[in-house]
Amino acid sequence: MAHHPAWEEAEVLARDAGHWRGPGLSWSELTAAADNALPGGTTTDRDTRLLLLLPALGDADLPLGAGKRLAACLRDRLGAAQPGRLATFMLRRQGMAGPARWSGDARGVRVNDGRYSFRNPENRDAMPDCRLAQLSAALNPAHTGTPRWVCPNAVAFEAVGPSPVPPRPVPAGPSARDGSPL
């Protein structure tokens, strides 16, 4: 789950039990969330946060240092006997959903091609476009643009800074992927 102070409730990124869904995070988003040190989570330790967020990972284009970073976390936090081998295995499998390809548009909205991902706009249970934009802005520390995002039932809002996110609207009933009523 991801949460921002301006949101009314947390956003489900992935689910690892029951009717699982995912992936929810790319590697760059996972490390940004692990490293942000914002209060309110279960821990402020960046290695522990990375391990807790790891089940939401699904990224087919991992950077070269991903295995080393994960191996260090596994060694330092869990005392893994062979952290390099374990990290390689974990990054190859990447949870229930497996790896996905990520892409972004000119506004910085990141989506993936995961068959069961809430962040794949082709899925019937995908997040509405405005929530995908809000989530992308919150998870992208490099975002510096000033796009204007408007969600149904929410006020217009200027994006300024790394995490510009308006409150998430609560739909009155079933809605289409773009947030409009069915």
Side-chain angles (χ1 to χ4, degrees), residues 127-141:
M127 293 176 192
D129 293 341
C130 65
R131 288 181 25 219
L132 286 169
Q134 293 170 16
L135 187 60
S136 293
L139 292 171
N140 183 0

Side-chain angles (χ1 to χ4, degrees), residues 1-89:
M1 298 184 89
H3 189 267
H4 186 276
W7 297 348
E8 290 180 14
E9 60 187 57
E11 189 69 66
V12 177
L13 297 174
R15 203 171 27 218
D16 199 22
H19 298 289
W20 59 270
R21 292 286 185 262
L25 295 169
S26 67
W27 178 261
S28 63
E29 293 170 336
L30 181 137
T31 56
D35 295 343
N36 73 19
L38 293 174
T42 55
T43 180
T44 57
D45 179 76
R46 60 185 236 140
D47 291 344
T48 303
R49 288 169 75 132
L50 186 137
L51 292 173
L52 289 170
L53 292 168
L54 196 61
L57 174 68
D59 195 332
D61 285 327
L62 294 170
L64 292 175
K68 288 183 180 182
R69 169 117 192 238
L70 180 56
C73 293
L74 293 167
R75 180 191 64 239
D76 297 347
R77 296 297 168 261
L78 303 179
Q82 297 180 339
R85 288 185 64 192
L86 182 55
T88 299
F89 174 79

Side-chain angles (χ1 to χ4, degrees), residues 4 7 9 25 28 30 49 57 79 92 98 100 111 119 141 143 146 150 152 160 162 166 176 180 182:
H4 186 276
W7 297 348
E9 60 187 57
L25 295 169
S28 63
L30 181 137
R49 288 169 75 132
L57 174 68
R92 192 173 296 140
V111 297
R119 295 182 68 190
H143 176 72
T146 57
V150 179
V160 179
S180 62
L182 291 176

